[in-house]
Amino acid sequence: MKALPIYFVLILLAVTGCDNEKVVNETNLPAQATEFIEAHFPDAGIARVVRDRDDLLTSYDVILDNQVELEFDRQGECYSVDAPGNERIPDSVVPLKVLEYVQDNYPDEVITEWEKSKTTQEVKLSNRKELVFNLSGTFLRIDD
């Protein structure tokens, strides 16, 4: 009888620990995500949307028809933008303080990726340097 509760715990862990990726229609995106795409990528269409449920967290991976990859959280807030190859991502995507730092210190480079975590944000430049900033845009370090 004591093995029964352990059995249920193992099943629960197996079910909640599995990745659940599903291709969904773009109408399933949160409104904030759709507005972000329209504002920053007005000439691009949505090629594919994948809803990812992992450990009770939901996120959306979006690939545009220009091959730019975006990631949004459940509310539709963008936390990652990645351009193909060494293409430039729109300046409007990058927080102003971060953009100004890059323009002042790396005038010959373009930002090809931007990613935000809970405590930092990071940009990748066309020279492959990765610059790390805090959430308010203060430069912290270079990750080569």
Side-chain angles (χ1 to χ4, degrees):
M1 205 60 177
K2 289 188 179 204
L4 190 58
I6 292 172
Y7 179 74
F8 284 117
V9 169
L10 291 175
I11 289 175
L12 182 63
L13 287 174
V15 170
T16 60
C18 295
D19 285 345
N20 185 12
E21 292 185 0
K22 181 179 180 184
V23 175
V24 297
N25 191 294
E26 66 185 74
T27 58
N28 291 70
L29 278 174
Q32 184 176 345
T34 303
E35 291 166 6
F36 181 92
I37 294 167
E38 290 170 354
H40 300 288
F41 301 92
D43 298 328
I46 296 174
R48 184 172 145 172
V49 177
V50 177
R51 182 184 64 216
D52 186 12
R53 289 188 178 154
D54 187 20
D55 293 331
L56 304 177
L57 297 175
T58 299
S59 63
Y60 296 89
D61 300 332
V62 177
I63 299 175
L64 302 179
D65 58 12
N66 62 4
Q67 302 306 308
V68 170
E69 297 177 19
L70 309 164
E71 293 181 68
F72 298 92
D73 65 16
R74 179 175 60 122
Q75 291 81 26
E77 183 176 340
C78 185
Y79 62 88
S80 178
V81 178
D82 184 2
N86 259 359
E87 295 294 317
R88 162 188 238 123
I89 63 173
D91 289 347
S92 60
V93 168
V94 182
L96 184 58
K97 195 170 176 184
V98 173
L99 182 62
E100 288 173 344
Y101 180 89
V102 171
Q103 290 172 339
D104 290 345
N105 293 283
Y106 299 92
D108 297 330
E109 303 301 327
V110 298
I111 298 172
T112 61
E113 293 179 35
W114 171 80
E115 185 172 349
K116 181 174 74 169
S117 69
K118 292 184 192 294
T119 58
T120 61
Q121 54 185 325
E122 187 173 310
V123 294
K124 187 173 188 179
L125 305 179
S126 49
N127 65 1
R128 301 202 183 272
K129 281 194 187 292
E130 296 179 15
L131 310 179
V132 181
F133 301 81
N134 66 17
L135 293 178
S136 63
T138 302
F139 176 75
L140 299 176
R141 67 180 181 276
I142 297 174
D143 282 352
D144 286 318

CSV table of all heavy atoms in Angstrom, one decimal, residues 16 21 23 34 41 68 101 130:
chain,number,residue,atom,x,y,z
A,16,THR,N,4.8,15.9,-15.8
A,16,THR,CA,5.2,17.3,-15.8
A,16,THR,C,6.6,17.6,-16.2
A,16,THR,O,6.9,18.7,-16.6
A,16,THR,CB,5.0,17.9,-14.3
A,16,THR,OG1,5.8,17.2,-13.4
A,16,THR,CG2,3.6,17.8,-13.9
A,21,GLU,N,6.0,20.3,-26.9
A,21,GLU,CA,6.0,21.3,-28.0
A,21,GLU,C,5.0,21.0,-29.0
A,21,GLU,O,4.8,19.8,-29.4
A,21,GLU,CB,7.4,21.3,-28.7
A,21,GLU,CG,8.5,21.8,-27.8
A,21,GLU,CD,9.8,21.9,-28.5
A,21,GLU,OE1,9.9,21.5,-29.7
A,21,GLU,OE2,10.8,22.3,-27.9
A,23,VAL,N,3.1,22.7,-32.6
A,23,VAL,CA,2.9,23.8,-33.6
A,23,VAL,C,1.5,24.3,-33.5
A,23,VAL,O,0.6,23.5,-33.5
A,23,VAL,CB,3.3,23.3,-35.0
A,23,VAL,CG1,3.0,24.4,-36.1
A,23,VAL,CG2,4.7,22.8,-35.1
A,34,THR,N,1.9,39.4,-30.8
A,34,THR,CA,1.5,39.9,-32.1
A,34,THR,C,1.8,41.3,-32.3
A,34,THR,O,2.3,41.7,-33.4
A,34,THR,CB,0.0,39.6,-32.3
A,34,THR,OG1,-0.2,38.2,-32.1
A,34,THR,CG2,-0.5,40.0,-33.7
A,41,PHE,N,8.7,44.2,-36.8
A,41,PHE,CA,9.0,43.4,-38.1
A,41,PHE,C,7.8,43.6,-39.0
A,41,PHE,O,7.1,42.6,-39.4
A,41,PHE,CB,9.2,42.0,-37.7
A,41,PHE,CG,10.4,41.7,-36.8
A,41,PHE,CD1,10.2,41.6,-35.5
A,41,PHE,CD2,11.6,41.6,-37.4
A,41,PHE,CE1,11.3,41.4,-34.6
A,41,PHE,CE2,12.7,41.4,-36.5
A,41,PHE,CZ,12.6,41.3,-35.2
A,68,VAL,N,14.1,35.3,-38.9
A,68,VAL,CA,14.3,35.8,-37.6
A,68,VAL,C,13.5,34.9,-36.6
A,68,VAL,O,12.4,34.5,-36.9
A,68,VAL,CB,13.9,37.2,-37.4
A,68,VAL,CG1,13.9,37.7,-36.0
A,68,VAL,CG2,14.8,38.1,-38.3
A,101,TYR,N,25.3,52.0,-26.0
A,101,TYR,CA,26.6,51.5,-25.6
A,101,TYR,C,27.2,50.8,-26.8
A,101,TYR,O,28.4,51.0,-27.1
A,101,TYR,CB,26.4,50.5,-24.5
A,101,TYR,CG,27.8,50.0,-24.0
A,101,TYR,CD1,28.5,50.6,-23.0
A,101,TYR,CD2,28.3,48.8,-24.6
A,101,TYR,CE1,29.8,50.1,-22.7
A,101,TYR,CE2,29.5,48.3,-24.2
A,101,TYR,CZ,30.2,48.9,-23.3
A,101,TYR,OH,31.5,48.5,-22.9
A,130,GLU,N,30.0,38.7,-27.3
A,130,GLU,CA,28.7,38.8,-26.5
A,130,GLU,C,28.9,39.7,-25.4
A,130,GLU,O,29.8,39.6,-24.5
A,130,GLU,CB,28.4,37.4,-26.1
A,130,GLU,CG,28.1,36.4,-27.2
A,130,GLU,CD,27.7,35.0,-26.8
A,130,GLU,OE1,27.5,34.8,-25.6
A,130,GLU,OE2,27.8,34.1,-27.6
